[in-house]
């Protein structure tokens, strides 16, 4: 099952984002992945195309509405191609069909409504978000009733044309000056009625059943990433197509790393002697590798060091972000008598030149006291 990354996800905006927000986020990302800026990088090019495709859809209120309701299926039905082919050039394939469904265009028998989309919340650890994960979930989903194959009629019994609507599924009624068309109350839009409802589903055509599903969580997912499992939502009523299942991901907190997009941040306490003298420290990376970090002599607390490519993988892209190592200089609190003695000796040799920041600061204060 392929994971299709949500358009909102691709553009790094909320589902409720307004046009301005979507536009500026698109510009920022388009700039970053533009082929001119990444010559020869096919992954960046693919990402650029995906972003443009997402923006093409979301900038248009009608397409956005269709996407919100139908997801990627809005642009795949009848288009024939896979993976968004024939999309970029403004060829939306079966798009108008979808609009007919939404806005009730076209006449004749009413098209049965599609099953509801479902949401499933899944927690993954940062390590799983790093490596990706093949997960199995168990959910109760309404599925097509097998004995009646979704018709709602008891096997072996007949269905007949609805007399109320003459099989159209819709009835017309005068309402004030207007003639309105509404779903037939007798057959609920099916155009036919059943003699005897199926005993298993009580005529519903669907039954709730526990289901086990495989979910492919790709590497690089973040909080709020949505994975769509097409057709794994609720079964449609009376044999109508099923809805989709959306897996909403939540990333658990990690004891060592914080995350900001593809950047990982870790705070590393070092002794003040190491801060003064410099030296190497070993850190475990998110991928389990040992990272050697060289602390330069005279490093200050709060200083950030960067390990390129030791961060999170790019979702549906190539490469990794960086690891930011924030240095925290720890002042010793449990000194032995001997160590204190050594520090006193060190202090006695201080001229102030060793610490220009502190020297300058206290000189300025002195100036302030003397009113200079
Ligand atoms: Zn009817
Ligand atoms: Zn049934």
């Amino acid at each position: 099952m392929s994971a299709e990354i949500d358009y909102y996800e691709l553009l790094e905006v909320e589902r409720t984002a307004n046009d301005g927000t979507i536009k500026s986020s698109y510009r920022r990302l388009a700039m970053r992945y533009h082929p001119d800026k990444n010559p020869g990088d096919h992954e960046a090019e693919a990402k650029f195309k995906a972003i443009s495709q997402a923006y093409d859809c979301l900038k248009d209120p009608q397409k956005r509405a269709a996407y919100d309701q139908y997801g990627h299926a809005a642009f795949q039905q009848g288009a024939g191609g896979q993976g968004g082919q024939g999309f970029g050039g403004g060829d939306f394939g079966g798009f108008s069909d979808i609009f007919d469904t939404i806005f009730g265009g076209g006449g004749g028998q009413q098209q049965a409504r599609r099953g509801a989309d479902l949401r499933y919340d899944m927690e993954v650890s940062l390590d799983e978000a790093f490596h990706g994960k093949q997960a199995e979930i168990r959910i109760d989903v309404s599925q097509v009733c097998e004995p009646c194959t979704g018709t709602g009629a008891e096997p072996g019994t007949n269905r007949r044309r609805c007399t109320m609507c003459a099989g159209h599924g819709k009835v017309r009624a005068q309402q004030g000056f207007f003639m309105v068309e509404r779903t037939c109350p007798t057959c609920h839009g099916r155009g036919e009625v059943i003699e005897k409802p199926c005993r298993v589903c009580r005529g519903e055509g669907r039954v709730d059943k526990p289901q086990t599903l495989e979910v492919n969580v790709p590497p690089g997912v973040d909080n709020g990433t949505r994975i769509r499992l097409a057709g794994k939502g609720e079964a449609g009523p009376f044999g109508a197509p099923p809805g989709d299942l959306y897996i909403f991901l939540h990333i658990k907190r990690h004891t060592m790393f914080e995350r900001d997009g593809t950047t990982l941040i870790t705070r590393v306490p070092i002794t003040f002697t190491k801060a003064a003298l410099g030296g190497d420290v070993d850190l475990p990376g998110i991928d389990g590798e040992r990272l050697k970090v060289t602390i330069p002599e005279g490093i200050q607390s709060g200083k950030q060091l960067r390990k390129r490519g030791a961060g999170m993988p790019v979702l549906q892209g190539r490469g990794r972000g960086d690891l930011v190592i924030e240095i925290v200089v720890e002042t010793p609190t449990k000194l032995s008598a001997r160590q204190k003695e050594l520090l006193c000796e060190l202090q006695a040799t201080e001229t102030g030149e060793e610490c220009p920041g502190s020297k300058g600061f206290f000189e300025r204060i002195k100036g302030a006291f003397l009113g200079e």
Side-chain angles (χ1 to χ4, degrees):
M1 196 170 298
S2 78
E4 279 175 283
I5 300 305
D6 191 86
Y7 283 161
Y8 292 96
E9 211 56 57
L10 274 169
L11 292 176
E12 297 178 8
V13 293
E14 292 293 319
R15 227 174 161 75
T16 51
N18 62 28
D19 293 347
T21 310
I22 292 175
K23 188 174 188 173
S24 66
S25 192
Y26 163 70
R27 282 194 169 163
R28 179 175 56 81
L29 293 166
M31 203 93 95
R32 192 192 304 164
Y33 294 106
H34 197 281
D36 289 352
K37 284 201 159 185
N38 305 275
D41 185 340
H42 296 296
E43 300 289 341
E45 193 183 324
K47 184 100 178 172
F48 180 76
K49 275 187 190 154
I51 294 161
S52 307
Q53 182 175 312
Y55 182 62
D56 261 355
C57 166
L58 297 189
K59 74 178 175 187
D60 182 311
Q62 287 195 326
K63 291 175 194 167
R64 185 175 174 184
Y67 180 74
D68 284 348
Q69 188 169 3
Y70 292 94
H72 292 272
F75 312 111
Q76 287 165 351
Q77 285 196 5
Q82 294 271 317
Q85 260 189 359
F87 184 100
D91 167 24
F92 281 85
F95 198 74
S96 59
D97 300 342
I98 297 290
F99 273 101
D100 284 347
T101 317
I102 298 174
F103 302 117
Q109 183 160 337
Q110 169 160 340
Q111 224 167 328
R113 282 187 39 220
R114 164 183 180 276
D117 288 341
L118 295 178
R119 171 184 175 139
Y120 182 92
D121 288 275
M122 186 194 281
E123 255 199 345
V124 296
S125 69
L126 191 65
D127 297 278
E128 289 167 339
F130 178 85
H131 294 287
K133 181 190 185 185
Q134 202 63 36
E136 222 175 51
I137 58 169
R138 247 180 107 69
I139 45 169
D140 273 357
V141 186
S142 78
Q143 288 168 62
V144 172
C145 173
E146 274 168 22
C148 69
T149 62
T151 61
E154 179 71 14
T157 66
N158 289 321
R159 287 173 283 162
R160 56 181 170 76
R161 196 185 215 211
C162 174
T163 47
M164 178 70 137
C165 61
H168 289 299
K170 285 176 181 174
V171 287
R172 287 167 181 263
Q174 189 81 27
Q175 200 170 78
F177 293 109
F178 302 102
M179 188 66 101
V180 292
E181 214 177 40
R182 61 163 68 106
T183 304
C184 172
T186 305
C187 64
H188 305 289
R190 279 177 297 159
E192 53 183 25
V193 285
I194 50 182
E195 256 173 15
K196 202 174 161 203
C198 163
R199 260 175 297 181
V200 175
C201 63
R202 295 164 198 272
E204 280 277 316
R206 4 173 222 189
V207 281
D208 277 0
K209 250 191 230 165
Q211 209 182 357
T212 305
L213 293 171
E214 287 272 314
V215 184
N216 174 34
V217 179
V221 293
D222 205 343
N223 258 326
T225 301
R226 285 177 288 265
I227 296 171
R228 177 171 157 269
L229 302 187
K232 296 297 176 186
E234 275 193 355
F238 310 112
D244 299 331
L245 173 64
Y246 285 89
I247 313 282
F248 280 61
L249 294 176
H250 304 272
I251 316 291
K252 282 184 243 175
R253 279 187 77 86
H254 195 275
T255 50
M256 199 174 146
F257 299 108
E258 272 175 43
R259 177 181 188 182
D260 179 15
T262 57
T263 304
L264 287 176
I265 302 142
T266 186
R267 278 180 193 79
V268 177
I270 59 169
T271 63
F272 81 140
T273 46
K274 183 156 262 174
L277 301 171
D280 290 340
V281 289
D282 280 338
L283 293 176
I286 183 77
D287 54 359
E289 256 177 73
R290 223 159 100 157
L291 297 172
K292 192 182 278 288
V293 182
T294 302
I295 311 281
E297 197 178 299
I299 199 165
Q300 302 295 333
S301 205
K303 169 85 182 169
Q304 292 186 333
L305 303 172
R306 194 172 276 267
K307 272 263 179 211
R308 299 239 170 254
M312 293 297 282
V314 178
L315 182 63
Q316 291 197 321
R318 197 182 50 185
R320 287 169 62 181
D322 298 339
L323 171 65
V324 167
I325 299 134
E326 189 173 313
I327 298 297
V328 181
V329 178
E330 190 179 13
T331 307
T333 53
K334 290 177 178 170
L335 291 169
S336 67
R338 169 74 184 131
Q339 286 170 321
K340 278 187 190 170
E341 211 175 273
L342 285 170
L343 284 180
C344 287
E345 245 177 77
L346 173 69
Q347 197 174 36
T349 66
E350 284 175 355
T351 62
E353 301 299 331
E354 310 84 2
C355 298
S358 126
K359 185 182 180 213
F361 177 78
F362 285 104
E363 275 171 358
R364 276 198 305 282
I365 293 185
K366 221 186 292 168
F369 287 153
L370 298 173
E372 280 166 19

